[in-house]
Amino acid sequence: MSRTHPELKTPPALAEGGLRIVALGGLGEIGRNMTVFEFGGKLLIVDCGVLFPEEHQPGVDVILPDFTSIRDRMDDVLAVVLTHGHEDHIGGVPYLLRERRDIPLVGSKLTLAFIKAKLEEHRIKPVTREVAEGDTLDFGPFETEFLAVNHSIPDALAVAIRTEAGLVLHTGDFKMDQFPLDRRITDLRGFARLGEEGVDLFLTDSTNAEVPGFTLSEGDLVPAIETVFRTAPKRVIVSSFASHVHRIQQVLNAAHAHGRKVAFVGRSMVRNMGIARDLGYLDIPKGLVVDLKQMDKLPADQVCVICTGSQGEPMAALSRMANRDHVIRISEGDTVLLASSLIPGNENAIYRIINELTRWGANVVHKGNAKVHVSGHASAGELVYCYNIVKPRNVMPVHGEWRHLKANGELAIKTGVHPRGVVLAEDGQVVDLVDGRVRVTGKVSAGNVYVDGATVGGATEASLKDRRNLAEEGVITVVAIVDADTGLLAETPDFLARGFVHDEGTFDSVVPLIEKALAKAAEEGVGGALQLEQLITRAVAGWANRNGRRSPMIIPVVIDA
Ligand SMILES: [Zn+2]
């Protein structure tokens, strides 16, 4: 397998007739999937998602792919193909369209409905092209063809891209559930047909490449969900992804069968389920859904609430219920069903919520104690099947952390793909397909772009480091009044500390150090406020480190007396 070269630089010009592939996100991480294809000076983008921040990125709402490398080339972008409606595939679109409003968005009916609803919140009316499986569409030198794939959201598509450089097949996110609720299975016959034609590059979903065997069917959850609804003595509160239409369909079916009414709670849940129902992806029996007011009048054992927050998001309904900050007050005998995955990085938040809900008296059913979740991604067994059917010349694992990409690459090699044809790339690495061979030829910038409140890209790695430092170490503000003539302290400095453990006498021992530093500066003729502030910072930082191994943020303020 070919892999990273740390000294990679800006790539050379793309060879004539070559196809360039650059993932600006989704490699080495689960999220913000975005791949840019370039041929003949034109660009075709597949997906534009967001990544959700982890605990070490405080204050960040979402993380975007870095558009720097294509910012000057927005007019060359012919379309953005959206493989499905998950946030990690469409969430970045509003920000991309700020660069150029009229980039055509291409996707299936449900995917486009989800992105349009999202863009409405950003007051953007996009240019869209709706496609369905079997459709082909040309964008300049790119001939695209769409194939059905099965995933944890309906209407997902794989995309085949033909150029003079060869045939590329990008699976998007997929699995191979043979009995999905909508009977729409991954189009392996289509994959085989493309395989016969000769797939030069196969980009495949790596999320579950480390998981042996086959991902279970959505239908396998029926018994566990049934049990919850059959045995729950009082209310049932279900939390799931607001886009998992089939999971919610299963919950609706069970609620209906057991004589419960359903209320949707949470903005994205209400919005998405409305869209899914209107477009015919969700079948809601008449009279089943009620609003919260009507629900209040029903006996507890006839109530089901479906809400957001299954990943422990602090502002979502479930988290607020756990914190007693929601009109729904969890009480003894309620059953909470977390019908969702546990995305790595969210574990602490979710377990905290499970504990809180349990403390209020709820019986919490989750994937750790019942069969209430199946993954939306192909496991190793399915991936191997695909390799054997497609028989690709080259493989580029996508959508996954480094370990997932590597595991996926190894599966490809096991099925006979030449190790030289498996390219493990990182975000920003430039992969060129020329004469049927793939090669990493350079690197473009692909750092994290943080959305923080209303600002995009304002928060940097440095500001996040400051935030972590503030959270862990606290802050000391030193106000020093300095005699302008002598450069020495006019009076004892004031210390204001937050989050730094101290008492009345704590700072006594640092004063002589500041005096010494200022005396030395005066002797050497150093007198600018900025320089004195730096000296004070150094003196206080050194002192804090020696006295208790702390490294608080230090804010010096020098005032001329
Ligand atoms: Zn997905």
Side-chain angles (χ1 to χ4, degrees):
M1 283 184 269
S2 44
R3 59 165 62 182
T4 332
H5 263 267
E7 65 276 17
L8 281 171
K9 296 196 185 74
T10 312
L14 176 59
E16 177 122 11
L19 177 72
R20 177 161 284 178
I21 304 109
V22 184
L24 295 179
L27 301 186
E29 62 203 352
I30 304 266
R32 62 166 192 161
N33 298 291
M34 179 170 183
T35 313
V36 181
F37 294 87
E38 175 178 358
F39 184 90
K42 298 293 177 191
L43 305 176
L44 179 78
I45 297 173
V46 174
D47 290 329
C48 182
V50 291
L51 175 69
F52 290 99
E54 294 185 24
E55 280 169 358
H56 67 275
Q57 293 157 326
V60 174
D61 299 328
V62 292
I63 304 168
L64 299 176
D66 183 351
F67 303 143
T68 306
S69 64
I70 56 168
R71 183 156 286 129
D72 294 338
R73 304 191 56 192
M74 284 296 159
D75 288 337
D76 295 332
V77 179
L78 300 180
V80 179
V81 170
L82 301 170
T83 57
H84 62 284
H86 278 153
E87 282 297 305
D88 55 340
H89 292 256
I90 67 169
V93 169
Y95 303 93
L96 183 67
L97 294 192
R98 282 189 196 180
E99 309 276 341
R100 194 190 124 201
R101 285 265 165 154
D102 60 347
I103 300 175
L105 306 180
V106 183
S108 64
K109 188 193 279 183
L110 185 66
T111 307
L112 289 183
F114 279 174
I115 187 62
K116 278 186 203 160
K118 173 180 277 298
L119 286 168
E120 217 165 88
E121 291 172 9
H122 291 256
R123 297 171 195 280
I124 299 175
K125 204 171 159 19
V127 176
T128 56
R129 286 291 293 269
E130 188 181 310
V131 291
E133 50 268 36
D135 286 354
T136 57
L137 210 53
D138 289 355
F139 300 98
F142 302 97
E143 227 181 281
T144 59
E145 177 182 343
F146 299 90
L147 298 99
V149 289
N150 166 249
H151 184 40
S152 46
I153 185 169
D155 227 7
L157 293 168
V159 58
I161 303 169
R162 284 186 191 81
T163 60
E164 283 167 34
L167 172 59
V168 174
L169 177 57
H170 190 320
T171 63
D173 281 350
F174 85 111
K175 63 172 174 173
M176 282 163 42
D177 188 346
Q178 297 300 295
F179 304 102
L181 262 63
D182 59 4
R183 297 276 153 190
R184 181 179 178 273
I185 59 173
T186 294
D187 184 11
L188 291 180
R189 301 175 71 208
F191 279 26
R193 175 174 49 76
L194 295 172
E196 287 297 323
E197 182 183 332
V199 170
D200 296 288
L201 180 63
F202 191 30
L203 294 94
T204 48
D205 176 7
S206 309
T207 312
N208 275 355
E210 286 188 312
V211 181
F214 290 76
T215 302
L216 286 178
S217 176
E218 181 67 30
D220 291 333
L221 305 184
V222 169
I225 294 174
E226 268 288 316
T227 303
V228 166
F229 279 87
R230 202 180 56 243
T231 58
K234 291 194 172 165
R235 294 181 297 189
V236 177
I237 292 148
V238 182
S239 182
S240 179
F241 280 117
S243 59
H244 206 323
V245 178
H246 289 165
R247 187 70 43 82
I248 288 157
Q249 182 72 62
Q250 302 229 76
V251 172
L252 292 176
N253 295 349
H256 190 52
H258 291 275
R260 288 176 186 263
K261 299 285 183 197
V262 175
F264 290 115
V265 171
R267 199 165 55 103
S268 56
M269 184 65 79
V270 172
R271 185 188 73 191
N272 286 359
M273 290 309 118
I275 292 171
R277 181 202 54 217
D278 292 348
L279 297 180
Y281 293 91
L282 191 68
D283 176 27
I284 305 180
K286 217 170 170 208
L288 179 67
V289 172
V290 295
D291 63 29
L292 274 181
K293 268 210 191 83
Q294 295 167 282
M295 181 144 281
D296 266 350
K297 300 190 189 99
L298 294 169
D301 64 355
Q302 289 173 27
V303 165
C304 171
V305 173
I306 300 179
C307 68
T308 51
S310 64
Q311 295 306 308
E313 307 93 315
M315 298 312 289
L318 191 69
S319 180
R320 289 171 45 213
M321 287 178 206
N323 292 336
R324 276 286 193 266
D325 177 28
H326 196 277
V327 287
I328 295 172
R329 312 288 277 190
I330 299 292
S331 56
E332 200 66 39
D334 285 340
T335 302
V336 177
L337 169 59
L338 289 172
S340 58
S341 62
L342 217 166
I343 292 178
N346 299 342
E347 291 97 337
N348 290 346
I350 298 169
Y351 284 125
R352 193 187 59 75
I353 286 173
I354 291 175
N355 278 319
E356 282 303 302
L357 294 169
T358 308
R359 201 159 71 86
W360 295 121
N363 171 32
V364 184
V365 181
H366 53 93
K367 66 171 280 194
N369 60 19
K371 189 77 213 144
V372 291
H373 173 70
V374 291
S375 170
H377 301 272
S379 299
E382 289 144 278
L383 293 171
V384 170
Y385 249 87
C386 279
Y387 287 129
N388 280 332
I389 287 171
V390 175
K391 286 281 170 219
R393 219 161 279 150
N394 301 288
V395 168
M396 180 170 162
V398 291
H399 308 170
E401 295 172 11
W402 189 256
R403 62 196 169 99
H404 305 125
L405 303 179
K406 180 152 187 285
N408 198 0
E410 279 164 1
L411 294 175
I413 291 168
K414 247 192 196 166
T415 65
V417 178
H418 196 288
R420 222 179 23 233
V422 176
V423 58
L424 298 189
E426 290 181 354
D427 286 344
Q429 281 187 4
V430 176
V431 178
D432 287 351
L433 174 70
V434 179
D435 296 329
R437 297 273 296 270
V438 282
R439 214 158 56 85
V440 175
T441 57
K443 195 172 186 343
V444 297
S445 82
N448 286 340
V449 173
Y450 299 107
V451 177
D452 178 346
T455 75
V456 179
T460 59
E461 298 297 341
S463 47
L464 294 191
K465 192 167 167 238
D466 282 349
R467 286 179 193 177
R468 286 194 295 272
N469 198 29
L470 278 169
E472 284 164 15
E473 303 280 354
V475 57
I476 301 172
T477 304
V478 186
V479 183
I481 301 180
V482 175
D483 187 309
D485 296 329
T486 63
L488 301 176
L489 286 174
E491 51 188 86
T492 310
D494 268 335
F495 295 89
L496 306 160
R498 286 283 182 277
F500 180 84
V501 180
H502 64 287
D503 56 31
E504 226 169 283
T506 299
F507 298 111
D508 290 350
S509 59
V510 75
V511 176
L513 301 174
I514 295 174
E515 280 171 346
K516 206 171 130 196
L518 292 181
K520 190 158 176 272
E523 217 169 273
E524 292 168 359
V526 176
L530 192 67
Q531 288 156 311
L532 295 185
E533 282 172 357
Q534 279 173 352
L535 288 172
I536 291 172
T537 302
R538 214 172 301 149
V540 179
W543 164 86
N545 192 353
R546 286 190 300 276
N547 291 274
R549 303 200 151 278
R550 309 300 302 170
S551 44
M553 176 179 280
I554 293 152
I555 302 177
V557 181
V558 168
I559 300 167
D560 279 343

